[in-house]
Amino acid sequence: MPDQAKPQSTARCPICARPAAEPFQPFCSKRCADVDLNRWLSGAYVVAGKDEEDEDGERTPDRPRD
Ligand SMILES: [Zn+2]
């Protein structure tokens, strides 16, 4: 069983529950890592308690607000 050479393969991506991939530990892909990062940043903003402050206009255009 040469497949057991990777003990880290037991880790699971916290985003989609797939087996984590080494370059993106503990995530399975950069996409999931980005998802978690965005969640973290969103949470950080809330925790930081910054009132109605906009993000310096640096937000990505994937969520158009009107
Ligand atoms: Zn994933």
Side-chain angles (χ1 to χ4, degrees), residues 29-66:
S29 65
K30 186 176 190 309
R31 186 171 167 274
C32 281
D34 283 347
V35 169
D36 186 77
L37 179 64
N38 283 329
R39 280 187 192 175
W40 190 88
L41 288 177
S42 298
Y45 263 109
V46 175
V47 173
K50 292 202 172 191
D51 299 87
E52 303 237 324
E53 202 169 69
D54 235 323
E55 301 118 312
D56 293 329
E58 275 193 10
R59 64 190 161 87
T60 44
D62 61 339
R63 271 166 58 184
R65 269 190 245 160
D66 226 287

Side-chain angles (χ1 to χ4, degrees), residues 5-40:
K6 284 193 173 183
Q8 292 188 0
S9 62
T10 53
R12 293 240 164 190
C13 174
I15 304 300
C16 68
R18 282 181 182 173
E22 253 182 68
F24 308 108
Q25 289 277 342
F27 308 101
C28 71
S29 65
K30 186 176 190 309
R31 186 171 167 274
C32 281
D34 283 347
V35 169
D36 186 77
L37 179 64
N38 283 329
R39 280 187 192 175
W40 190 88

